[in-house]
DNA sequence: CTAAACTTTCAATACTTTTTGAAAGTATCC
DNA sequence: GGATACTTTCAAAAAGTATTGAAAGTTTAG
């Protein structure tokens, strides 16, 4: 397989994976591009490589900065901004986990804690609801704890544990 | 908080969580409704409760059946079909993990294995690409293994390990 | 200060996904 | 068989999301 072909396939594939991690397609592609690039790239170059508009590039670069998975590089003497991505995939996964926890898990935990106070009127429906809320809350809290552990973990430490699990 | 209010909030919240798990909003809401319902419901009842059309209800019920997270119930003497959901949340999570693994992780693993054969032409770009592919492949394979372990796990067993990790 | 080099915004547009509802299909009953 | 009670399909409409590009904004240099 040729280099450019491989690069395009990878950007495409990583784009899909990123999408399933909760980024959008362009975000994930920009990220992939920065991943495979040995030097940091300017907005202009990103637009070019991915054939996207300035606005689109700008918005998604900002979103990536916001997620904390790429960073701005200022090159002395240059006015343009350059960007590079986090290249350690575990660090990236931890960062994504952190953001998703904030965006997705926290809101549902809040609702579950509220709904937990529902007064049962003794009906089957209310009893079932109470049971489900209890289970969900328990699940969500445990997931939250696990995520937190993962987010704070050192790669090597995490690895050792995972290997132990999978043995 | 009142029962109906709590129920609606929960369906809403679960709808959002399900969405972030890769189900669509209606799918997740139907699932939530079945979760909190002490008895199985017919298509008609689901349409009613969620104010959705017959077509929509039908399509999403089929998708949920397809994911294997709800099941069809036939009540003797009745012609209608009823549906009930898996109520064990861990079993549900395992099922979702299984489907997503098939739909998302497997395709990227396939691409990574292909791209892995790229011939380096000695350029920095090609070297970087090779490095990234190697890392990603490693990561994806390890995630795949971990997911597999989770999917096949018994709840209690998994729990013990998780608790150990989090201690 | 003005021009140049950039970055950001945003209304319009294009694209994707979801939802609707009526029509077609299927199974069961008498 | 025909009527009834359902389920499924699917083209059209609506809703949601992403993308464009030109205009406005900002920063730096001279």
């Amino acid at each position: 397989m040729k280099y450019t072909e491989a690069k395009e396939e990878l950007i495409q594939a990583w784009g899909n994976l990123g999408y399933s991690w909760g980024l959008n397609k362009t975000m994930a592609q920009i990220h992939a591009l920065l991943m495979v690039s040995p030097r940091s790239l300017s907005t202009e170059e990103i637009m070019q490589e991915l054939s996207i508009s300035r606005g689109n590039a700008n918005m998604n670069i900002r979103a990536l900065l916001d997620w904390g998975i790429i960073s701005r590089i200022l090159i002395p003497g240059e006015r343009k901004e350059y960007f590079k991505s986090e290249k350690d995939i575990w660090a990236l996964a931890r960062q994504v986990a952190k953001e998703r926890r904030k965006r997705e898990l926290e809101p549902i935990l809040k609702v579950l804690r509220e709904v937990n106070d529902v007064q049962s009127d003794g009906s089957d429906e209310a009893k079932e609801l109470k049971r489900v809320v209890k289970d969900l809350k328990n699940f969500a809290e445990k997931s939250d704890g696990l995520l937190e552990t993962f987010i704070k973990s050192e790669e090597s430490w995490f690895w050792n544990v995972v290997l132990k699990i999978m043995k």
Side-chain angles (χ1 to χ4, degrees), chain A residues 118-136:
Chain A
V118 66
Q119 293 299 314
S120 176
D121 56 14
S123 67
D124 275 4
E125 279 79 11
K127 273 185 208 151
E128 185 72 3
L129 183 71
K130 250 190 133 39
R131 199 185 59 67
V132 169
V133 170
K134 198 179 113 240
D135 285 0
L136 275 179

Side-chain angles (χ1 to χ4, degrees), chain A residues 49 75 94:
Chain A
E49 287 267 4
I75 296 183
R94 282 198 300 273

Side-chain angles (χ1 to χ4, degrees), chain A residues 57-72:
Chain A
N58 187 269
M59 273 194 65
N60 284 294
I61 287 170
R62 301 241 272 106
L64 287 165
L65 287 168
D66 197 48
W67 277 67
I69 58 185
I70 68 173
S71 52
R72 230 185 271 269

Side-chain angles (χ1 to χ4, degrees), chain A residues 9-155:
Chain A
E9 280 234 36
L10 182 63
I11 289 176
Q12 191 57 44
W14 189 240
N16 291 336
L17 188 67
Y19 192 78
S20 71
W21 281 18
L23 317 184
N24 77 29
K25 196 184 103 225
T26 308
M27 249 172 109
Q29 286 183 350
I30 294 176
H31 183 262
L33 177 62
L34 291 174
M35 281 278 283
V36 302
S37 170
R39 59 186 184 79
S40 52
L41 301 178
S42 67
T43 304
E44 211 75 33
E45 288 167 308
I46 292 169
M47 284 165 60
Q48 261 254 311
E49 287 267 4
L50 301 177
S51 313
I52 59 176
S53 72
R54 186 171 299 284
N56 194 10
N58 187 269
M59 273 194 65
N60 284 294
I61 287 170
R62 301 241 272 106
L64 287 165
L65 287 168
D66 197 48
W67 277 67
I69 58 185
I70 68 173
S71 52
R72 230 185 271 269
I73 299 292
L74 293 171
I75 296 183
E78 286 233 42
R79 209 135 137 201
K80 265 200 268 282
E81 293 179 336
Y82 287 80
F83 304 94
K84 75 167 207 287
S85 78
E86 171 61 67
K87 298 220 170 174
D88 172 351
I89 292 157
W90 282 91
L92 173 66
R94 282 198 300 273
Q95 193 58 37
V96 170
K98 189 174 165 188
E99 286 296 321
R100 293 194 62 174
R101 177 183 179 216
K102 190 169 78 198
R103 287 165 207 236
E104 296 163 14
L105 199 53
E106 280 179 14
I108 196 173
L109 269 171
K110 187 162 163 288
V111 172
L112 287 171
R113 281 171 188 144
E114 278 168 33
V115 171
N116 203 32
D117 296 337
V118 66
Q119 293 299 314
S120 176
D121 56 14
S123 67
D124 275 4
E125 279 79 11
K127 273 185 208 151
E128 185 72 3
L129 183 71
K130 250 190 133 39
R131 199 185 59 67
V132 169
V133 170
K134 198 179 113 240
D135 285 0
L136 275 179
K137 188 158 159 290
N138 191 259
F139 177 82
E141 276 164 357
K142 283 176 175 162
S143 307
D144 193 53
L146 183 58
L147 259 187
E148 167 146 11
T149 305
F150 173 63
I151 290 165
K152 293 198 172 144
S153 71
E154 290 299 317
E155 177 178 348

